[in-house]
Amino acid sequence: MPVLVMKFGGTSVANLDRIKRAAKRVGVEVAKGYDVIVIVSAMSGKTNELVGWVDETSPLYDAREYDAIVSSGENVTAGLMALTLQEMDVPARSWQGWQVPVKTTSAHSAARIEEIPTDNLMAKFGEGMKVAVVAGFQGVSPEGRITTLGRGGSDTTAVAFAAAFEAERCDIYTDVDGVYTTDPRITDKARKLDKIAFEEMLELASLGAKVLQTRSVELAMRYKVKLRVLSSFEEQSDTAGTLVCAEEEIMESNVVSGIAYSRDEAKMTLVSVADRPGIAAAIFGPLSDAGVNVDMIIQNIAEDGRTDMTFSCPTDQVKRAEKAMEDAKAAGEINYHDLIADTNVAKISAVGIGMRSQSGVAAKMFKTLSDEGINIKVIATSEIKISVLVDRKYMELAVQALHDAFELEKAA
């Protein structure tokens, strides 16, 4: 039988009524002849509750016990989903990560999937099981301990199962009905995309779009797993949602597919750094070691052997970055006059595979922002992306103006 993977996020299984609704969707696919692997998240809010209990009990917690506790939410959902399907006369069984087994690294709370053997589940499908309900977000380490994959890890679980079982498709059910050209809460002109390329989705996910977890898109692109993002609260059809697929499966697309934004960005500038070979490594090595996620980087032209180095990072990593630079200066690894942090900026990005073959995108983006009186602080580009830092107070205006300028409300 062909295999289909269906993943239900926390809002889709938030209570028993929603679990029943999700189970009915699974039943429809079973009736079409699929063997279905259902990946479930914890019920909405449950993981946060469990994390809160851990923090309250042990602020400096043992990561192995943390994983044992926070993974339990998915176990509850998996069991309830299997029971619900059984009540519908659909042969179903729940599976925890260690039972499959989902083999991972030993990096607790941030484990990576290394292998998913298919033997156990395929044997049960051969015996008549139609649905395997698997607890997402969790696996088992080489030492036999429960591990978790980090926030959003159930998306990664779903894509990994689709790759391992060569599934026809991986459907991600969430509280939105697809991928939009931008956040509909910022502009009502935002349009749902029928299809989007893996690379575009990867950029949008990494730039702030919360629809899919970045690691899941990376995995889907590597193994060419067709992903479909759908709402669990709307009527479904075979063309519902947004299909995330290979670029060659998209006949025509706009030059720009979407405008992404990230509100919580900071711009940090090292003033008057000694300009010498290896200075970049001396700066960004300690930042990396401190776990600072550096994004955009600009180095000014050197004068009198000194230069300014500017980079961006999330606002919640500013203190960490400041300490890393102060420690490096104290150790004599770098020398600078001042470190200036601007925590009132936002990152706006235009993304589209059409940029590869069409010029003028950057010029249009910069002129649009200029016409709105929005000053650009930092620019970074890649083959299919242009990102800028602007004052945070202009974030929504910038998104709306760029969405209009590139006419994203119109289909290609």
Side-chain angles (χ1 to χ4, degrees):
M1 291 290 184
V3 173
L4 183 70
V5 175
M6 303 173 73
K7 182 260 175 178
F8 293 95
T11 54
S12 303
V13 291
N15 53 47
L16 293 181
D17 285 340
R18 291 188 180 179
I19 289 174
K20 287 177 184 175
R21 182 187 297 202
K24 287 178 182 176
R25 296 199 189 285
V26 176
V28 169
E29 301 299 343
V30 170
K32 291 179 183 177
Y34 287 106
D35 284 339
V36 181
I37 299 173
V38 175
I39 309 296
V40 292
S41 298
M43 298 164 85
S44 185
K46 181 54 69 176
T47 301
N48 286 340
E49 181 183 44
L50 293 169
V51 170
W53 288 348
V54 171
D55 289 339
E56 191 175 332
T57 303
S58 176
L60 299 173
Y61 53 74
D62 182 325
R64 291 164 296 187
E65 300 308 329
Y66 172 92
D67 278 358
I69 294 163
V70 300
S71 65
S72 64
E74 281 72 14
N75 297 342
V76 173
T77 315
L80 290 171
M81 176 68 81
L83 285 174
T84 304
L85 287 163
Q86 289 172 11
E87 288 295 306
M88 295 165 50
D89 294 325
V90 177
R93 181 66 63 206
S94 68
W95 298 75
Q96 296 177 20
W98 64 270
Q99 292 173 301
V100 175
V102 178
K103 297 182 179 180
T104 73
T105 61
S106 300
H108 287 277
S109 80
R112 302 188 76 85
I113 297 173
E114 295 195 320
E115 183 188 4
I116 302 178
T118 60
D119 300 0
N120 286 348
L121 263 59
M122 291 306 290
K124 290 299 180 184
F125 279 133
E127 293 171 10
M129 179 183 72
K130 296 304 297 177
V131 181
V133 186
V134 179
F137 175 61
Q138 59 177 246
V140 60
S141 71
E143 296 79 25
R145 300 293 311 183
I146 294 170
T147 56
T148 63
L149 310 180
R151 283 307 177 105
S154 292
D155 283 353
T156 303
T157 304
V159 174
F161 269 85
F165 286 81
E166 298 180 351
E168 191 171 297
R169 195 177 65 247
C170 178
D171 287 347
I172 307 286
Y173 286 86
T174 180
D175 53 1
V176 296
D177 61 346
V179 180
Y180 279 74
T181 50
T182 196
D183 189 339
R185 293 170 298 183
I186 287 186
T187 173
D188 55 11
K189 293 181 182 178
R191 176 177 57 85
K192 184 173 72 67
L193 298 165
D194 294 328
K195 290 183 178 181
I196 187 169
F198 287 127
E199 288 178 86
E200 293 173 317
M201 190 67 243
L202 188 57
E203 290 283 11
L204 289 172
S206 65
L207 293 167
K210 302 291 194 294
V211 180
L212 286 171
Q213 194 226 27
T214 307
R215 276 170 62 194
S216 70
V217 184
E218 288 175 347
L219 206 57
M221 185 164 68
R222 187 186 314 160
Y223 292 102
K224 294 190 165 45
V225 173
K226 283 188 179 179
L227 278 176
R228 192 167 60 146
V229 181
L230 314 104
S231 169
S232 54
F233 306 113
E234 295 189 358
E235 292 301 317
Q236 301 298 298
S237 69
D238 290 339
T239 57
T242 299
L243 186 67
V244 188
C245 56
E247 182 180 337
E248 50 268 24
E249 293 186 50
I250 301 174
M251 295 295 290
E252 291 287 339
S253 65
N254 289 324
V255 177
V256 173
S257 293
I259 305 296
Y261 67 90
S262 176
R263 188 186 308 273
D264 299 318
E265 294 289 321
K267 178 173 78 78
M268 307 196 71
T269 301
L270 287 165
V271 179
S272 190
V273 183
D275 187 30
R276 59 174 173 78
I279 188 61
I283 293 170
F284 296 106
L287 289 170
S288 174
D289 293 341
V292 177
N293 184 19
V294 172
D295 181 18
M296 308 158 104
I297 301 171
I298 289 183
Q299 182 175 355
N300 287 349
I301 296 172
E303 288 186 14
D304 301 324
R306 313 292 292 186
T307 186
D308 294 345
M309 188 78 78
T310 297
F311 61 91
S312 68
C313 69
T315 51
D316 61 1
Q317 296 177 8
V318 167
K319 295 294 184 188
R320 208 182 302 169
E322 288 175 337
K323 186 176 187 308
M325 292 296 90
E326 288 164 5
D327 290 349
K329 185 177 183 179
E333 296 171 9
I334 56 174
N335 176 266
Y336 59 88
H337 287 176
D338 199 6
L339 175 57
I340 301 170
D342 181 356
T343 56
N344 289 305
V345 295
K347 180 169 61 180
I348 313 294
S349 306
V351 174
I353 52 176
M355 291 186 196
R356 289 192 182 121
S357 57
Q358 188 157 331
S359 61
V361 177
K364 179 182 278 194
M365 183 172 181
F366 301 154
K367 184 175 188 308
T368 299
L369 295 174
S370 172
D371 290 346
E372 296 292 342
I374 301 172
N375 185 45
I376 298 171
K377 295 174 176 286
V378 179
I379 302 168
T381 65
S382 74
E383 195 177 24
I384 66 166
K385 173 198 74 178
I386 302 169
S387 293
V388 297
L389 285 186
V390 302
D391 284 331
R392 188 174 300 146
K393 63 183 178 182
Y394 295 124
M395 185 190 78
E396 294 194 7
L397 175 61
V399 170
Q400 291 164 354
L402 291 171
H403 196 276
D404 287 346
F406 289 109
E407 301 182 322
L408 297 187
E409 72 277 6
K410 299 176 183 177

